[in-house]
């Protein structure tokens, strides 16, 4: 497994262990991790703190996002895809999109290369979480 996606999975597991939703994200620039994050909506009581947003916040001001790659254990939603497009991130690798299809077409329409790795580890983690805490999941995706 790619070390950057493994770091995103580690972030997802960290979020789950803290009582949150198991989605993790990593931002890579010039072959180095510049930011990591996980979904903190539950922990922070903040509906905007999705994994990708947390990751970007933690990366801080890095100047240009050209040449960066965003890794996420789940296909980014429209909120996070909007941030990807806004900041000019041109490559996104998603661990999976089976449990949530996300906003792939939106990103691709705006020139982002999107790669769905279709990882069983990411799918299993999300399926188990959704089965155990469906109300939290549907709140997260705005379908409660």
């Amino acid at each position: 497994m790619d070390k950057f996606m493994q770091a995103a999975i580690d972030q997802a597991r960290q979020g789950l262990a803290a009582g949150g939703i198991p989605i993790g994200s990593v931002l890579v620039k010039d072959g180095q991790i510049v930011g990591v994050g996980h979904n903190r909506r539950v922990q922070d009581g903040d509906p905007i703190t999705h994994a990708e947003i947390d990751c970007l916040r933690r990366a801080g001001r890095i100047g240009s996002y050209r040449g960066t790659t965003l890794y996420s254990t789940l296909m980014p939603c429209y909120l996070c895809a909007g941030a990807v497009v806004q900041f000019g991130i041109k490559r996104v690798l998603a661990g999976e999109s089976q449990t949530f299809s996300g906003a792939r077409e939106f990103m691709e329409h705006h020139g982002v290369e999107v790669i769905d790795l279709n990882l069983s580890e990411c799918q299993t983690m999300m399926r188990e979480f959704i089965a155990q805490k469906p109300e939290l999941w549907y709140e997260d995706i705005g379908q409660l």
Side-chain angles (χ1 to χ4, degrees), residues 93-109:
L93 277 80
E96 66 108 349
S97 65
Q98 296 301 307
T99 59
F100 181 72
S101 60
R104 179 180 189 148
E105 294 81 16
F106 173 81
M107 291 184 286
E108 289 175 337
H109 178 75

Side-chain angles (χ1 to χ4, degrees), residues 91-134:
R91 190 166 189 243
V92 171
L93 277 80
E96 66 108 349
S97 65
Q98 296 301 307
T99 59
F100 181 72
S101 60
R104 179 180 189 148
E105 294 81 16
F106 173 81
M107 291 184 286
E108 289 175 337
H109 178 75
H110 286 89
V112 178
E113 176 188 11
V114 180
I115 300 169
D116 183 351
L117 299 173
N118 199 27
L119 298 174
S120 61
E121 183 174 1
C122 293
Q123 290 173 15
T124 299
M125 186 168 32
M126 285 307 301
R127 284 190 178 116
E128 288 174 357
F129 176 79
I130 293 167
Q132 293 171 3
K133 298 187 178 180

Side-chain angles (χ1 to χ4, degrees), residues 51-79:
E52 298 85 351
I53 301 301
D54 186 47
C55 177
L56 292 171
R57 283 179 174 158
R58 292 175 181 278
R61 295 180 61 207
I62 64 169
S64 173
Y65 288 84
R66 282 190 208 121
T68 60
T69 299
L70 184 71
Y71 289 77
S72 183
T73 57
L74 186 65
M75 187 65 69
C77 69
Y78 281 96
L79 170 71

